[in-house]
Each structure stands twice: as C-alpha cells, then as structure tokens.
Amino acid sequence: MIYDLLDTYRKNDDGDRMAIESYSLKDGLYFRLDTSNNEVDELLLNKDVLRDGKLYNWFRKAEYYSRLIEMNKPVDSKKQIHSNNIYSIFIKHDTLILDGTVSPKFIESIDRYFYTLENPKSDEKSDNLLAKYYLPENNKETIQRNKQYVLSKIDWLVDRVLSYNFKTNIYIKIFFNASIEEYKNESIRYLIPKIFNNNNYNIETNGTIYGLSNNNMGLNAKKPYLEHKTTNYKVPFRITLDDALEVKSLFEWLESQSENNKPVHYGYIPISSEDQFSFSSKITDETNSHYIHLEKGIKSIVDDYDFLPGITDKIEPFQLNNYLCLPDFNEEYITSRKTLESKVDDLLYNKNLIKNYNIDKPKIRADFSSRHVDLLNMSKIAMHNYFCKCDDSSIRSCIDRISLALIKESLFICSYKILEKSSVASAINLRLSMLKYFRIGGKEGMGDIVRGLSQIMKEKIIDNKTDEYKQCDSDSEFYFSSGQLTRYLISCSQAERVNYNIIDPILNARDSRKIKNEVMKLIDKYSHALSTKSSRLNNLISMVMGYEPESPDKVLHDIFLAGFASKNLIYYKEKEESKNEKNNE
C-alpha cells in the first residue's frame, strides 16, 4: 500500500512543498525573534484570523520543519518543549507562566532543551543514518546565542502573553529569524535518527539502509506480538531512508486534507495522465484511483486501502418506483451512485449508514435500535464496497435479507399511525426497487406484482357492490389481503401509541396457517370495535380466512408488508380518488 501511494505521490517531485502548502497553523501566539536587531514579529492566530499573508506563510514553513515526528520522540526528555531544533521553542502557556510570573519550569526546560541539542546522543545506528546526509556540523555558537537570547527576553515574553489574558492553556511558539533552508537542515538532523519506527530493525544492503516504516506500523516494546516470531524476518517490511522521509510527507499531506474547512478522513487519489495528486471525497468518473480511509488520532494510520481501476459515480439507471401507490412519494430515475447511497442511508438505515462506515461500535439511538446496529454491522462492508468502491458482489448477496430485516425493525419502533406516509412505507418501495435492480432471483418481479394488487383488491373490496363474499384468486392476493386486514385490526386499538410489534409472529411465520391463526387472534382481540355491517371488512375477512394458498410453506412477506403499509382499503374514500384523477388530468 505505501509503495503504491508513493509511486503516485512522487510524480509531483517535491513532497515537502505539497505537505507545506496544505499545512495549516493551529491557534496560538507566534513570535519571530531577530537576535541581530532585537526586532520581534508577532502573530496571534484564532478562529477569527485569516490564515494567509507573508508572515503567516513564513511561520507555516518554519513550523513544518520544527515539529516533533511524534510525542514519543521528543528533544526535551520531559516533553515540556515540543519543537525539534535550535531555531524554535514550542511551549504551552502554563509552562511559561505560573501565578502571573515566569515559571521555574520554563527556565529548567530551556536549559535541558538546548543542552540536548548541543550534546545529542550518539550511537552507531544513528551516526550511520546521519552520515548519509552531508549536514553542516552542529553550530554550538548559535545554540548558545539563541538560548541566552530567549532567557534575556523572558520578562518581555511573560508581559506580552499576559497582555492577552488567555483563558486556555494555548501554545506559545517562538522562532528565530533564520532562513527556511537552515530550519530544514536542523529538521533533518532531528528526523534522520528517528524516522524509522525502531532502529534496532535497520539493516544495510549494498550501501543502502533499510528500516521499519514509522507510519502505519507500530512495533515497539509495548507491542512485541507484532514481531514475526516464526520467520527469518522479524518485521513485515522495510523501506529506505529516502522512502521513509517521503512517506512522512505523504502522511502529513493526507492528515491536512479538508473540504469546506472540514477534515477529510476518506477519499480518492486519482491516478491521471496529468500527474495531478489530489484527494477528494467524491469519485472521479472513469479513472483509476487509490481509495484510502485515514483514522486520525495521536498517530494517523490508513486503516482501509484499495486500488480501484476505472471507478465511476455513474451507475446503470436505477428506477425508484412507487410500487405501494403511496401519496406524496416521488418516483426517481437515479444515475449517481452517491444519490442512491443517500437514499439507502435515509430510508433503510435512518441516516446511520454513511457516518458509521468506519465506526466499530455505532451508537443506539431513539430511531436506531440495538437490532438496527447489529444489522448495520453485518451489512456496512457490503454497502461500503458498493457505494465507495464500486464493487457490487457483496451487496447482491445480502440486500434481500438485510433490507427486509431493517424494514421489520423500523416498523417495530415506528409509532406513526398513518403508515403509508412514513419512511417505513417508502423503504418498502426502495427495497422492491433494489430487488429488481440487482436481479435478486425469484423476487425481482415482486414490485410489479404489488403494483397490480392495489387495483385488483380495490375492485374486489370496494367497487364490487354485490352481497356475495369475495375470494382470493392467488397467493399474492391472500398475503396482500392479510396485510390490509392486519393493519385495520391494529388501528382499532384505543391505545394512544400504536404498537406494530404485535405483528412480529406474522412476519416470522413460516407458513400461511400461522398467519391465519395470528390474524384470528387479532379479530378476537378487537371484536368489540369491529362493525359487522362493514362490507369492506367482511370482504377482507372472507378473502383471508376462505383461501388456502397453493404453496402454504412459501410465505410472501414482501406482499404482506406491502398490503400492511399501503393505504388501507377499508378507510378508502372514493371522493379522494375522484380528486386525484381530476388533478392528473
């Protein structure tokens, strides 16, 4: 993965330039001291300050070359000073000031910091690494001059910081007015001995030193289990010193990526003929791309990577149909992968899919139960592979089972009495459309069957005014009628809050006999509220109880749900249809 990304990154020739240009200074108080003329440049950065200008850009470059590679590899052994070279001093407010005056801790830290810079630890491995770079000798005169100059400015520094009356423990960052090239040299002097994860794993072959990458790899005394114990090699892979420096720049560039002033944690790096290295959360049409997800923390890692050839946001047209004939439902013709992803996220996952792709433990919410979370965890990789990596193999194998289970769970926690106007009913339309789109065997035509049933049932239950009881002519009519009847019976409840959990036995039924038994229980339960004079109710009861399915063990749960969530025919008002027909003319 690292070499794949580096191959593309190197096409830009200057990794530091890209990393610096995308780097943004954090809030804090910045000073640039000039020992030759005693002048001071000062910059306070907060949310109201524009990150731009000549002085800002100088501080940005100087800070980039002054940062620690990580807090576990400091210059100051007590980690009070967080910079890495003789031209910079990064401290927190409370390290400088105690009770309105200079803190003794600050003076101790300055002495310790500059002593370490003047007398760096020497060992064979570090010396071998530094020998590869022809750096000028450590300038002890400059080290002492900078140290004494800072100590001489202590009272002034304290007064300036106190004048701002900071309420938080912000960073105070002090720089000396030196060339950026000098900052870069001192940065290399710090980095080279520390650029690898652990120098104990370094080897030299044909004059080239290879070591364990410090990025995307943790192998130290606290994680001995990552070491390969049963092979001739102890570490997964090694990279050269130059590669390690470029990988550092690459990861710094990745960490600083943002869109609309918000950090980007995942996205695509196109591999284009123009050699443009960019990072976007959107799929670029018809191009080869690296896909990465960056887990940002104390130490950022790429926890998901894929090379994706020829990916595109365009999909074969997806028709979102109103199979249930729901009021106010907009049928859509979708050609964008991201648009379809948004629909699935909204209707099936109650907007909990996209934001939890890379979350190990999604949270239970009022509209997202523990069962929802389980279903999300079972399906999010398949969804992510399709919507983010353009791979439909996994979603085809799970969309039937997962979408049905999600709809059932959403129904059980739904309390909306007008179910045909709820997201549950819309989700059934989406499910039936997806079964057709992904050609799920045996079910791809289910939506078209449902669409025709509404009119058939209306003709039998409402339009036909004869006294004779109606009968079902197919298993589909039986299950649709069962859904309609069950929904009506539940509506007879006097409870303030509707409880759809009561149909759980029906949705788990494995044969039609079980469904009939459960419907009969509901009839008995709400018999006091039923009108024996209602021809529509009597017709539905007759159709459900008087029909024996041809395949009693093949329960059509989709058609039952469609009947359950559709507008109930018992409450159907003919004047509404006349009004709708008039509006459509």
Side-chain angles (χ1 to χ4, degrees), residues 33 38-40 148-158:
L33 310 180
N38 209 34
E39 289 185 357
V40 179
Q148 295 305 321
Y149 192 78
V150 169
L151 292 175
S152 72
K153 301 285 287 186
I154 284 180
D155 291 338
W156 178 87
L157 278 169
V158 170

Side-chain angles (χ1 to χ4, degrees), residues 47-99:
K47 63 180 181 180
D48 300 320
V49 175
L50 183 66
R51 260 77 169 160
D52 201 5
K54 184 176 180 181
L55 183 59
Y56 173 86
N57 287 326
W58 185 92
F59 276 127
R60 179 170 62 172
K61 293 177 183 177
E63 178 172 303
Y64 177 80
Y65 289 117
S66 298
R67 298 183 304 160
L68 298 176
I69 192 170
E70 59 180 74
M71 283 303 294
N72 287 329
K73 295 185 178 183
V75 172
D76 177 16
S77 59
K78 294 193 176 180
K79 302 181 182 179
Q80 296 300 307
I81 297 178
H82 300 164
S83 46
N84 71 32
N85 66 66
I86 65 176
Y87 296 113
S88 56
I89 303 166
F90 299 170
I91 53 173
K92 287 293 190 75
H93 176 280
D94 292 356
T95 301
L96 175 63
I97 297 173
L98 178 65
D99 296 331

Side-chain angles (χ1 to χ4, degrees), residues 4 50 54 77 140 150 203 205 232 261 306 308 352 357 386-387 413 429 454 479 509 524 533 561 574 584:
D4 292 330
L50 183 66
K54 184 176 180 181
S77 59
K140 295 187 177 184
V150 169
I203 60 173
T205 304
N232 292 330
N261 295 320
D306 241 323
L308 306 175
N352 287 279
Y357 274 147
Y386 177 68
F387 291 117
I413 65 174
N429 271 337
S454 294
Y479 287 106
D524 291 339
K533 296 181 179 180
L561 278 170
E574 295 185 55
N584 291 330

Side-chain angles (χ1 to χ4, degrees), residues 540-572:
L540 269 180
I541 294 175
S542 172
M543 292 178 72
V544 172
M545 295 304 170
Y547 181 77
E548 292 298 329
E550 294 181 8
S551 303
D553 296 331
K554 185 181 178 182
V555 178
L556 303 179
H557 288 113
D558 279 302
I559 295 182
F560 174 88
L561 278 170
F564 188 82
S566 298
K567 188 172 181 62
N568 200 266
L569 293 174
I570 293 180
Y571 292 120
Y572 187 87

Side-chain angles (χ1 to χ4, degrees), residues 508-525:
N508 289 317
R510 295 186 178 182
D511 59 61
S512 59
R513 293 179 291 277
K514 173 68 173 176
I515 291 178
K516 282 188 176 184
N517 288 338
E518 293 300 325
V519 171
M520 198 64 233
K521 290 179 184 178
L522 290 175
I523 293 174
D524 291 339
K525 181 175 183 178

Side-chain angles (χ1 to χ4, degrees), residues 9 50-51 62 64 70 130 161 182 199 306 314 368 389 406 461 469 508 571 573:
Y9 192 64
L50 183 66
R51 260 77 169 160
Y64 177 80
E70 59 180 74
L130 281 169
V161 174
E182 289 176 286
N199 287 334
D306 241 323
K314 294 179 181 178
F368 204 65
K389 298 183 179 181
L406 286 167
I461 294 175
Y469 288 141
N508 289 317
Y571 292 120
K573 296 180 181 179

